Amino acid sequence: MKILIVFLLVLILSNHSISQPVWNFQNSGTTSNLNRIISSGQMLYICGDNGTILRSSNSGLIWENMNSNTTSDLYSIELAYNGTGYAVGSNGTIIRTADGGNNWTSMTSNTTNSLKDIKIMYGLGRAIAVGENGTFLKLENNVWTISQIGTLNLNSISFNDIFPNRMTAVGGNGIILKTTDSGLNWNRINSNTSDNLNYVSTNWFSVGNTFIIGDNGTAILISGNVVNTINLGTLNNLYHFTTYDRSSILCGANGTIIANGRPIVTNINTKLNSVIQLGIDNCFVTGNDGLILYTNSLNVSPNGKLLNSNNINTWFQNNGLFNHNPSGYSGLEWPKGEGKYAAYTSGTVIGAIVNGDTLVTVCKYGSEYLPGYTDNNGVPHGNGNADYKLYKITFNQNDSDRITWPNILLGNSDQGAPVYFDSLTMILKPIDYGNQTMFYSYTDSYPESHNQYSGGTAPLKADIKQINWSFNQPEELKNIIYQEYRIINRSNNVWTNAHLNLYSDHDLGDASDDKGGVDTNYSLTYIYNATNEDGVYGFAPPAIGFVVIRSPLVNTGNMNDTVFYCEGKRKKFKIGYKEIDLGSTIIVREDFQEPANYIANYNAIRGLNN
């Protein structure tokens, strides 16, 4: 039997100290600068000055100091799954291991230039490295060949996972070099900066996106042929970054760490050289003077909870993300308990023209919202405050969240969670919209959160109060979740040409055969299977969709137009108003480029081509 899983949405528009992870110092057993940390299999490896190579098999609890057979400073290290690895460093040093780091031997590089970065091209028996004075090295058949690509120092190199002959190298004076023929020919890309560029990845969340960081907080995103400068909210030099699933961590000078667009407090001023994330909460950072930092609470804020009173089991987070497991996996399970998933992540994109500027806030794989609210002066508050969590209550249960339901009329946090007056008990109570009900407040007013996804526009100063609920009966409602968004303009400026679109990356079982469609008569956007059989769901697979059942109101002045709505538990109406119709739906296939900057995002939510 084919079942349609539908989200029914209510959209309402009106005008109107960050929580930090706990960092632990790990004993490195050295005072040498530690320059790069990596993981390979179940092992962690670190390379550093004075020939330092450290290895840990127990998540950093104990670090072994391995004999590298060199005293040269080592700047970069890579190990393949089979235990073969390389480290490169000062004066052209290259060392090799064939047994997971137990033993290291030197290799001939044919250069005395310091080598700053190395990458193993997995499955191809090849490696590449770059260094000072334009040095470019390739390893084939266990022999390094050298060439010069210019005279500027090169600090980092990366290759395309699908097309490994496509590489990007970055370095001094803002140099970006690209090749499509494994380094035979290089073209310089205009970076629009003279700052040193320190690290590059050509697989930034998706193959083909190139992300680069450098001195003075420089960050550059290249999508296709479009080069965008991103404001990360810091002027400190940035040296390294890592991605895990859909999250990103950057590190740099003066103890700088930026996680998913928000600054992370470390309370140190040490230069941080390298970072790695092993899970949604687990992160290691290395730096000068033998520093190793570890946290298992990286994403302490925001928080998420499951809505699962009926056949759907899905995650919601108080930064606006939903259908996404905070651990980095698909978040909407249907049917509940069967381990089959219909959606990977969902969120919203809001855009408007404000004083002539295009402002966009994006919530897709990560979010530019943070828990909290915006005061009358446009200043955000509440992120990291335990009151601004996700509240979830269950009908006929005296949950802890029911006792602390965030409404000032109940003596709790002043967030405006819905309440009603119970005439039998003569007291105010939280409203149960369904068998389970969620409420939370979040805002885009924190400027530091606006960088990675929208392209760094200023905040709209939008506060959102969101309610989600579901029913476990009757049968017709067991495959439905309701969501209501109350979006409040907390700025002193008018939003013109404002648009809100829902974004969703649906992986309907086996995602390779998903198709999409729109039914404008029902304001329904849906994803379905291309055939009547799916690799995960089997025969007669389900479909999933969004239906808009209540949209913002517009004043028509026509007395024949009447809109009915609920406020609390009371039915009300407005004469001379009507609801806005479904405006646009954009369906992006995997072989197309998703919107990569604020203009492209704004165009997309208006139904225009990027």
Side-chain angles (χ1 to χ4, degrees), residues 40-59:
S40 181
Q42 301 299 313
M43 296 287 191
L44 291 169
Y45 298 87
I46 297 173
C47 71
D49 289 357
N50 305 309
T52 299
I53 292 183
L54 306 178
R55 185 178 69 178
S56 177
S57 60
N58 54 10
S59 299

Side-chain angles (χ1 to χ4, degrees), residues 172-238:
N173 200 34
I175 191 171
I176 303 175
L177 298 172
K178 281 184 171 288
T179 180
T180 58
D181 55 14
S182 298
L184 295 177
N185 298 281
W186 295 84
N187 295 312
R188 184 163 183 174
I189 306 299
N190 184 11
S191 65
N192 296 312
T193 183
S194 59
D195 289 316
N196 293 329
L197 303 178
N198 299 319
Y199 195 72
V200 58
S201 170
T202 53
N203 306 291
W204 178 255
F205 292 122
S206 63
V207 174
N209 278 350
T210 299
F211 189 61
I212 302 164
I213 58 172
D215 289 356
N216 299 309
T218 298
I220 298 169
L221 177 64
I222 304 177
S223 299
N225 295 319
V226 180
V227 180
N228 297 292
T229 300
I230 298 177
N231 179 13
L232 293 178
T234 182
L235 294 178
N236 287 320
N237 295 347
L238 299 172

Side-chain angles (χ1 to χ4, degrees), residues 144-464:
W144 290 95
T145 58
I146 185 171
S147 59
Q148 299 295 129
I149 48 177
T151 59
L152 292 172
N153 293 337
L154 299 176
N155 298 321
S156 182
I157 190 166
S158 182
F159 63 90
N160 186 299
D161 279 346
I162 294 179
F163 305 104
N165 58 315
R166 301 178 185 178
M167 307 172 188
T168 303
V170 301
N173 200 34
I175 191 171
I176 303 175
L177 298 172
K178 281 184 171 288
T179 180
T180 58
D181 55 14
S182 298
L184 295 177
N185 298 281
W186 295 84
N187 295 312
R188 184 163 183 174
I189 306 299
N190 184 11
S191 65
N192 296 312
T193 183
S194 59
D195 289 316
N196 293 329
L197 303 178
N198 299 319
Y199 195 72
V200 58
S201 170
T202 53
N203 306 291
W204 178 255
F205 292 122
S206 63
V207 174
N209 278 350
T210 299
F211 189 61
I212 302 164
I213 58 172
D215 289 356
N216 299 309
T218 298
I220 298 169
L221 177 64
I222 304 177
S223 299
N225 295 319
V226 180
V227 180
N228 297 292
T229 300
I230 298 177
N231 179 13
L232 293 178
T234 182
L235 294 178
N236 287 320
N237 295 347
L238 299 172
Y239 298 115
H240 193 236
F241 63 79
T242 186
T243 59
Y244 175 83
D245 194 65
R246 297 293 179 174
S247 67
S248 64
I249 315 293
L250 304 88
C251 69
N254 303 314
T256 298
I257 297 179
I258 299 171
N260 299 318
R262 64 189 179 105
I264 301 296
V265 175
T266 58
N267 293 317
I268 60 173
N269 293 316
T270 305
K271 178 187 174 187
L272 303 180
N273 298 314
S274 184
V275 59
I276 189 170
Q277 191 177 2
L278 300 181
I280 195 65
D281 289 316
N282 298 317
C283 180
F284 292 84
V285 181
T286 64
N288 283 1
D289 305 320
L291 178 70
I292 303 176
L293 293 175
Y294 169 72
T295 183
N296 61 1
S297 57
L298 183 65
N299 290 292
V300 64
S301 177
N303 77 309
K305 292 184 179 180
L306 286 164
L307 193 69
N308 53 8
S309 70
N310 56 23
N311 293 340
I312 303 173
N313 181 40
T314 193
W315 283 95
F316 288 88
Q317 299 180 51
N318 64 338
N319 63 351
L321 280 174
F322 62 100
N323 294 339
H324 188 61
N325 188 321
S327 296
Y329 302 102
S330 296
L332 188 149
E333 182 191 29
W334 185 90
K336 180 174 62 179
E338 293 192 9
K340 300 174 182 178
Y341 292 86
Y344 177 77
T345 186
S346 304
T348 61
V349 182
I350 299 178
I353 306 299
V354 182
N355 289 335
D357 291 331
T358 302
L359 304 184
V360 176
T361 300
V362 175
C363 178
K364 291 183 177 180
Y365 299 102
S367 179
E368 295 183 336
Y369 296 100
L370 288 170
Y373 70 99
T374 309
D375 67 20
N376 292 332
N377 295 317
V379 178
H381 303 272
N383 185 35
N385 183 329
D387 289 338
Y388 285 86
K389 66 176 185 177
L390 189 153
Y391 292 80
K392 173 184 169 183
I393 57 177
T394 302
F395 183 67
N396 271 343
Q397 291 189 16
N398 193 29
D399 326 76
S400 60
D401 284 351
R402 187 180 298 275
I403 297 171
T404 58
W405 194 244
N407 190 305
I408 196 171
L409 297 175
L410 301 178
N412 298 322
S413 175
D414 186 16
Q415 298 182 49
V419 296
Y420 76 101
F421 183 75
D422 186 344
S423 58
L424 295 178
T425 61
M426 301 298 289
I427 59 174
L428 288 166
K429 294 181 178 180
I431 295 179
D432 290 276
Y433 280 62
N435 294 93
Q436 289 178 341
T437 304
M438 289 177 169
F439 174 86
Y440 43 106
S441 305
Y442 51 98
T443 180
D444 83 326
S445 292
Y446 288 92
E448 65 268 20
S449 69
H450 286 256
N451 49 62
Q452 181 175 323
Y453 302 102
S454 71
T457 73
L460 282 157
K461 297 193 181 297
D463 281 7
I464 298 182

Side-chain angles (χ1 to χ4, degrees), residues 506-515 528-530 534-536 590:
H506 288 303
D507 292 345
L508 192 58
D510 179 3
S512 64
D513 53 3
D514 291 352
K515 301 291 184 181
Y528 64 99
N529 210 66
D534 178 78
V536 174
E590 285 198 0

